[in-house]
């Protein structure tokens, strides 16, 4: 029998005005203006926020994967995530590319780390089967 899931953390935000509004976290640590992608307005957009969150989470998942292989991630590990907002026949969707840099780690090991991270990262799990995702090891 599976054990019940334990909530580790709950992120809470209040957003008003949609893509031309603002979003603030319940603890006040996040307080940002929002603008539509490609507009000249101040602020960020949901696609940038999603890309930033996924990048951070993916690095954490890679760290766990590397530790399981008795390795440490390089200090200058990075993930450059691109999230595209797509439109087709009046419907919107997303696709993403994660460009992973693991300096000093051989390509075969880097692929093993990213493959495992993509299986365990909560963002990767949430998008699996829902959007096209490409992982590129630099």
């Amino acid at each position: 029998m599976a054990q019940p899931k334990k909530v580790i953390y709950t992120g809470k935000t209040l957003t008003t005005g949609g893509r031309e509004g603002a979003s603030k976290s319940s603890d006040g640590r996040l307080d940002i203006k929002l603008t539509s992608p490609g507009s000249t307005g101040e602020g960020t957009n949901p696609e940038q926020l999603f890309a930033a969150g996924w990048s951070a989470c993916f690095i954490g998942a890679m760290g766990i994967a590397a530790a399981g292989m008795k390795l440490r991630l390089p200090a200058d590990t990075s993930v450059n995530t691109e999230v595209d907002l797509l439109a087709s026949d009046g419907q919107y969707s997303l696709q993403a590319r994660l460009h992973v840099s693991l300096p000093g780690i051989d390509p075969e090991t880097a692929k093993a780390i990213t493959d495992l991270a993509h299986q365990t990262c909560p963002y990767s799990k949430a998008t699996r089967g829902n959007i096209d995702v490409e992982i590129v090891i630099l």
Side-chain angles (χ1 to χ4, degrees):
M1 178 186 245
Q3 290 190 6
K5 294 181 180 179
K6 176 184 172 187
V7 175
I8 298 170
Y9 175 78
T10 301
K12 299 177 190 177
T13 62
L14 173 64
T15 302
T16 56
R19 287 183 176 272
E20 300 299 329
S23 191
K24 185 173 184 175
S25 63
S26 60
D27 63 7
R29 295 175 122 187
L30 177 73
D31 189 357
I32 57 171
K33 293 180 183 179
L34 300 170
T35 57
S36 293
S39 74
T40 58
E42 292 182 23
T44 188
N45 59 65
E47 291 72 27
Q48 289 173 331
L49 293 169
F50 189 66
W54 197 349
S55 295
C57 188
F58 200 81
I59 290 172
M62 287 193 304
I64 292 168
M69 300 171 163
K70 308 269 192 265
L71 299 171
R72 290 172 57 136
L73 291 182
D76 50 353
T77 294
S78 65
V79 178
N80 180 2
T81 301
E82 300 172 328
V83 174
D84 300 322
L85 175 62
L86 308 170
S88 177
D89 298 325
Q91 300 291 314
Y92 296 96
S93 62
L94 300 173
Q95 68 182 16
R97 290 166 305 287
L98 285 73
H99 300 269
V100 178
S101 176
L102 294 166
I105 294 184
D106 67 89
E108 185 177 304
T109 303
K111 179 160 180 16
I113 290 170
T114 58
D115 285 351
L116 186 54
H118 194 47
Q119 294 304 309
T120 60
C121 171
Y123 282 73
S124 293
K125 287 180 179 182
T127 58
R128 186 167 294 114
N130 296 312
I131 70 171
D132 290 332
V133 178
E134 179 183 6
I135 297 177
V136 178
I137 300 170
L138 304 174

